[in-house]
Amino acid sequence: MNEDIYVLIEHLQGEVAEISYIMLAAARDLAQRTSGEVIGVLLGHDAQDLTSTLAADHIIYADHAALAEFTADAYQKTVASLIQENEPSAFLFGNTSIGADVASVLSARLSLPLVSSCVQISNGKLISQICGGKIMAESDLAETTTLVTIIPGGYKAEEGQSEKSPEIKSFNAPALDDLRVTLKKYVEPEAGDVNISKEAILVSIGRGIQTEDNIELAEELAEFLGATVCASRPIVDQGWLPISRMVGKSGQSVKPKLYLALGISGAPEHVEGMAESEMIIAVNMDPNAPIFDIATYGVEFDFFDLIDPLLEQLEEIE
Ligand SMILES: Cc1cc2nc3c(=O)[nH]c(=O)nc-3n(C[C@H](O)[C@H](O)[C@H](O)COP(=O)(O)OP(=O)(O)OC[C@H]3O[C@@H](n4cnc5c(N)ncnc54)[C@H](O)[C@@H]3O)c2cc1C
């Protein structure tokens, strides 16, 4: 086994996914522990240009027509072959649909340990946030290649970006002619009334809002701030807001100047979609709510005690 930390670079329709940069930042921390290098692994077809912003010591690039779009089948085979040939110390994947599809199968197929939902590397240990962020678990690298899935929240995407293009080394993909899965077409979600991914200020509500009627309070606040209301999944699951307003893994990724999180706990699936916001202000009664770990400002308060004085103050300013 060598000391290097490999990172599977995720990309979709010609763009590197933010989680790839976050993983490169985490890999840099882990590589200090192993004294190895950070190696980005790019699978694609005519996709070399995607490497220019990646903060890796070098890139291993497998170019193959069957890798032009993600399919679990082709990715699993190629990554398995790379692990068997190079035996890195750790291989990082996004805790995303793509990463989970590849890492979990390879763990079973190659009998390698898998540490999931890792949010940070601390003193060389992998810190995982599990059960919606209610439990923090600490793991160490194993004697064999350790597979790790990374969730956002511990690192900023810019920490994994570089203006210096890394060197590219090619890797020959294994035979990929008997694939059971191929991509037919992308299906874009239906456009909603607003595109929350483009909004500068978002007032986001979670289960702490308690009833559908209380959404009015958030809408009033949003109007004062020139903001748009969005939500965590339980609000959308209840049918209180349309799916176009959902932030997170199953919803939209947003990056506003200000994200005001009201009564949202900060589960990894939610954080995945908003951790890159420029400023996060979280209002939550629970001092241990994981949202406070990523908030720029945290307000440990009952939302319902805060909203009236806040609206009054905003009225005075107007
Ligand atoms: C495969 C999968 C995909 C998922 N995708 C998404 C996704 O895309 N987006 C998403 O959001 N979730 C997603 N989830 C769900 C996610 O795991 C969490 O369950 C969800 O984010 C929790 O929403 P919440 O924070 O609103 O609710 P809770 O976790 O119940 O948190 C409510 C918070 O409100 C606080 N609170 C209560 N009352 C008040 C008050 N009066 N004032 C202030 N604070 C108060 C509480 O302290 C608590 O922290 C997904 C889950 C799975 C398994």
Side-chain angles (χ1 to χ4, degrees), residues 245-276:
R245 302 291 182 109
M246 179 159 69
V247 174
K249 192 186 194 70
S250 337
Q252 300 247 33
S253 287
V254 299
K255 207 178 173 178
K257 288 193 182 309
L258 171 62
Y259 190 88
L260 189 52
L262 307 174
I264 293 180
S265 60
E269 295 83 3
H270 184 81
V271 169
E272 183 174 329
M274 47 65 78
E276 289 300 313

Side-chain angles (χ1 to χ4, degrees), residues 115-129 136-139 149 151:
V115 177
S116 65
S117 303
C118 174
V119 68
Q120 195 145 36
I121 314 300
S122 177
N123 298 322
K125 306 271 189 204
L126 304 160
I127 310 296
S128 293
Q129 215 180 51
M136 304 300 282
E138 189 181 279
S139 323
T149 65
I151 58 173

Side-chain angles (χ1 to χ4, degrees), residues 132 134 205-210 231-235 246-251 262-270 283-286 289 301-304:
K134 294 185 177 68
I205 50 174
R207 198 150 27 202
I209 200 90
Q210 291 172 13
S232 65
R233 183 165 162 171
I235 301 298
M246 179 159 69
V247 174
K249 192 186 194 70
S250 337
L262 307 174
I264 293 180
S265 60
E269 295 83 3
H270 184 81
V283 180
N284 199 305
M285 291 192 307
D286 175 5
F301 222 76
D302 186 327
F303 163 73
F304 297 104

Side-chain angles (χ1 to χ4, degrees), residues 9-300:
I9 303 301
E10 282 194 22
H11 56 99
L12 191 66
Q13 296 187 293
E15 274 189 37
V16 174
E18 297 232 323
I19 189 71
S20 303
Y21 298 117
I22 290 169
M23 286 192 279
L24 288 169
R28 187 62 64 194
D29 260 1
L30 202 52
Q32 277 179 6
R33 142 104 163 72
T34 62
S35 309
E37 293 199 317
V38 173
I39 317 285
V41 175
L42 179 69
L43 313 187
H45 188 43
D46 289 338
Q48 300 89 310
D49 291 352
L50 293 179
T51 61
S52 61
T53 52
L54 303 173
D57 293 310
H58 72 259
I59 301 293
I60 294 179
Y61 176 44
D63 186 305
H64 193 292
L67 295 169
E69 310 286 352
F70 169 78
T71 65
D73 230 7
Y75 266 53
Q76 284 157 8
K77 283 192 170 146
T78 310
V79 174
S81 147
L82 191 57
I83 291 175
Q84 282 163 330
E85 203 165 296
N86 294 0
E87 296 184 356
S89 177
F91 209 126
L92 274 45
F93 302 85
N95 198 63
T96 57
S97 311
I98 289 180
D101 238 357
V102 180
S104 56
V105 170
L106 291 185
S107 171
R109 202 171 279 168
L110 305 178
S111 296
L112 294 176
L114 169 62
V115 177
S116 65
S117 303
C118 174
V119 68
Q120 195 145 36
I121 314 300
S122 177
N123 298 322
K125 306 271 189 204
L126 304 160
I127 310 296
S128 293
Q129 215 180 51
I130 51 179
C131 292
K134 294 185 177 68
I135 297 176
M136 304 300 282
E138 189 181 279
S139 323
D140 212 343
L141 293 178
E143 296 293 311
T144 53
T145 299
T146 306
L147 310 181
V148 183
T149 65
I150 298 284
I151 58 173
Y155 299 90
K156 288 276 173 204
E158 62 247 31
E159 295 171 58
Q161 290 171 344
S162 167
E163 286 173 7
K164 195 170 139 255
S165 294
E167 185 195 347
I168 302 177
K169 298 182 180 174
S170 347
F171 175 74
N172 289 330
L176 296 174
D177 41 16
D178 57 345
L179 301 176
R180 296 158 303 167
V181 180
T182 51
L183 182 100
K184 294 285 183 208
K185 62 170 182 175
Y186 281 106
V187 181
E188 298 287 347
E190 277 177 31
D193 52 340
V194 282
N195 182 352
I196 57 170
S197 70
K198 300 272 189 283
E199 296 294 316
I201 308 180
L202 291 172
V203 171
S204 192
I205 50 174
R207 198 150 27 202
I209 200 90
Q210 291 172 13
T211 66
E212 186 172 12
D213 289 346
N214 289 333
I215 294 179
E216 233 173 67
L217 298 169
E219 272 161 358
E220 213 176 317
L221 179 59
E223 205 179 314
F224 269 114
L225 299 174
T228 299
V229 174
C230 60
S232 65
R233 183 165 162 171
I235 301 298
V236 173
D237 284 350
Q238 298 268 11
W240 296 350
L241 284 176
I243 195 161
S244 56
R245 302 291 182 109
M246 179 159 69
V247 174
K249 192 186 194 70
S250 337
Q252 300 247 33
S253 287
V254 299
K255 207 178 173 178
K257 288 193 182 309
L258 171 62
Y259 190 88
L260 189 52
L262 307 174
I264 293 180
S265 60
E269 295 83 3
H270 184 81
V271 169
E272 183 174 329
M274 47 65 78
E276 289 300 313
S277 303
E278 276 178 42
M279 182 186 285
I280 298 167
I281 301 178
V283 180
N284 199 305
M285 291 192 307
D286 175 5
N288 297 316
I291 192 79
F292 288 139
D293 296 340
I294 58 155
T296 324
Y297 299 103
V299 185
E300 192 196 318

